[in-house]
Amino acid sequence: MLLAFDLDNTIVTYDYHLPRTIENSIQRARAAGHAVAVLTGRARASALLYLEQLELKGPYGVNNGALVVGSEGEILKQVRIAASEVQALVDYVDSSEIEFCCMLDDTLFVRDPDHHYWTWAHTQNRAVVALEAGAAPAADKVVFGGDGASALLGRVIAERYPQFVAYEWTEGYLEVTGRDADKGMALELIADHLGFVRGEVVAFGDGINDVTMLSWAGHGVAVGPHAHPGVRAVAGEHIPSPERDGVAEWLEANLLGPR
């Protein structure tokens, strides 16, 4: 069985802690012969703490599937938004109150490095620098934040850049990745890489960016009380949050049995 896990609010708590109970259950599943993959919207640098805690060299996908890494740490797929397209997106909001962040590897290029939007925990292990005018880089992901950013830019991107993948978050953020960069495609690639078919894959997630992953998996599990309606719609079942050891209890009940 291939077990695919989102991080935040799936196996990582709201305060960014991976409980030992969940870690131990995942390690027991691996020891029992099951394969484990992590697919997250985080960049590799900010996912590293949890990958190391799980002793997972690979496979995993970060930036919502823009980068997919194999079981030995090799790159299976990398999708970036071209610099010219990033610049066009940045220019569109340059005169507005909408903040932006162009993420490339371990660096966040932003309009205002001191803005509170970019003081989140996900900047751990990463540099935040000011973007020089007209010098937007190619990007793994572009994030916008501000009142009305999600609804406004979601419509603009759908109309002007239908090749991009965009996620509107309730916190007022909009995330944009490049062509074919989503967790569903990343999971399909990882399953093929490891030799699993869809019916042998179970995926766990809670956010809008997890919908494609749970849709592709043979069995999808929605996690936590705030799981996105789209996740609930495609999931086969719904379990408690990581604060209540939902994933650990599922693994023990369905694959491992009690200690």
Side-chain angles (χ1 to χ4, degrees):
M1 187 81 67
L2 170 59
L3 306 169
F5 300 101
D6 169 49
L7 286 178
D8 294 288
N9 299 315
T10 296
I11 63 172
V12 173
T13 62
Y14 184 77
D15 60 355
Y16 309 116
H17 172 64
L18 173 55
R20 290 294 181 186
T21 48
I22 294 178
E23 175 194 348
N24 291 340
S25 292
I26 292 174
Q27 297 291 29
R28 288 178 61 204
R30 293 176 69 189
H34 300 288
V36 169
V38 164
L39 293 110
T40 177
R42 287 174 176 253
R44 178 156 50 179
S46 61
L48 186 60
L49 170 67
Y50 308 109
L51 295 172
E52 290 179 344
Q53 188 174 340
L54 291 171
E55 301 177 358
L56 189 66
K57 184 178 180 180
Y60 60 84
V62 295
N63 286 322
N64 294 324
L67 175 66
V68 183
V69 174
S71 55
E72 297 301 319
E74 70 276 30
I75 294 178
L76 300 180
K77 176 180 180 180
Q78 186 165 31
V79 176
R80 282 182 170 150
I81 304 173
S84 60
E85 294 174 318
V86 174
Q87 189 65 57
L89 292 172
V90 170
D91 287 344
Y92 182 80
V93 302
D94 193 47
S95 61
S96 71
E97 295 300 317
I98 296 174
E99 295 294 325
F100 60 80
C101 171
C102 308
M103 301 186 180
L104 178 62
D105 294 326
D106 299 338
T107 302
L108 281 64
F109 296 90
V110 303
R111 182 188 351 232
D112 178 8
D114 295 322
H115 198 283
H116 68 87
Y117 279 137
W118 318 124
T119 59
W120 52 7
H122 294 198
T123 58
Q124 184 179 21
N125 300 328
R126 306 172 76 186
V128 182
V129 301
L131 177 65
E132 295 182 11
D140 302 309
K141 182 169 66 174
V142 180
V143 180
F144 299 94
D147 293 340
S150 294
L152 170 64
L153 284 170
R155 291 193 298 271
V156 170
I157 289 169
E159 294 172 359
R160 299 189 181 188
Y161 303 98
Q163 73 273 28
F164 294 162
V165 182
Y167 301 103
E168 298 179 30
W169 295 94
T170 55
E171 295 89 348
Y173 291 99
L174 181 85
E175 292 186 338
V176 182
T177 51
R179 184 189 302 273
D180 298 337
D182 65 66
K183 290 189 182 184
M185 291 185 175
L187 179 55
E188 181 177 6
L189 179 59
I190 287 172
D192 182 68
H193 169 66
L194 296 178
F196 290 95
V197 298
R198 292 177 69 172
E200 300 170 320
V201 179
V202 181
F204 302 77
D206 74 297
I208 188 172
N209 58 339
D210 296 318
V211 172
T212 56
M213 177 173 74
L214 269 67
S215 296
W216 188 87
H219 184 65
V221 182
V223 182
H226 305 298
H228 189 274
V231 168
R232 293 172 182 257
V234 300
E237 61 183 306
H238 188 193
I239 64 174
S241 67
E243 285 83 357
R244 295 179 55 195
D245 287 336
V247 164
E249 292 180 356
W250 190 96
L251 293 175
E252 290 165 6
N254 292 276
L255 296 181
L256 303 175
R259 285 185 175 277

